[in-house]
Amino acid sequence: NVLVLGDRDRLNQVMLNLVMNAIRYNRIDGRVEVGYVVRSNKVEIYVADSGRGIEEEHLSRIFERFYRVDKERSRTVGGTGLGLAIVKHIIEAHHSQVFVESEIGVGSRFSFRLRKM
């Protein structure tokens, strides 16, 4: 087991949001991976999917409140466009930042780092 410093309830909210997004925006036979990597005195926690990916032009804006990459699809699967903004706010309150890597047709990977206990 690896222990990190943080607010359990808020971090549960972060993980729920990231995992639900990975499922919601994945392809039908897609894969979602949740894991961590220990990096010195920090732990990088990540959620990765094998979905369609996010176009580069949207990456700088996906953490904005109410921003949706695909407005038509978002209406179909639900959501308010607030989830990633909340994730960003919670992670920044933990003195960290959230990172995203994405490739069209390959998938996306969201990660953040927390101090290890």
Side-chain angles (χ1 to χ4, degrees):
N1 289 338
V2 176
L3 299 176
V4 296
L5 295 171
D7 180 318
R8 179 186 310 225
D9 292 334
R10 296 294 72 81
L11 293 173
N12 278 335
Q13 188 177 5
V14 165
M15 293 305 294
L16 178 62
N17 185 285
L18 292 177
V19 170
M20 291 304 296
N21 279 353
I23 293 168
R24 192 176 283 142
Y25 296 104
N26 211 334
R27 57 181 192 254
I28 294 200
D29 293 334
R31 177 183 55 79
V32 173
E33 180 180 349
V34 178
Y36 69 91
V37 178
V38 177
R39 300 189 183 280
S40 184
N41 64 340
K42 299 212 179 215
V43 178
E44 180 180 327
I45 299 163
Y46 66 88
V47 176
D49 66 60
S50 60
R52 62 185 184 174
I54 303 166
E55 294 174 345
E56 190 171 340
E57 67 193 59
H58 297 290
L59 291 177
S60 65
R61 299 198 58 203
I62 60 172
F63 296 105
E64 293 177 13
R65 290 174 24 164
F66 306 115
Y67 187 79
R68 296 182 187 187
V69 172
D70 183 344
K71 291 165 183 32
E72 288 304 313
R73 181 169 165 83
S74 294
R75 282 191 205 108
T76 305
V77 296
T80 60
L82 288 172
L84 289 178
I86 292 168
V87 165
K88 179 183 177 190
H89 177 76
I90 292 170
I91 295 305
E92 286 179 348
H94 283 80
H95 307 288
S96 188
Q97 64 186 108
V98 61
F99 303 94
V100 60
E101 303 165 39
S102 190
E103 187 176 337
I104 297 299
V106 176
S108 301
R109 183 181 190 273
F110 289 81
S111 64
F112 56 93
R113 294 180 182 165
L114 298 173
R115 282 196 347 224
K116 188 167 77 168
M117 289 183 65

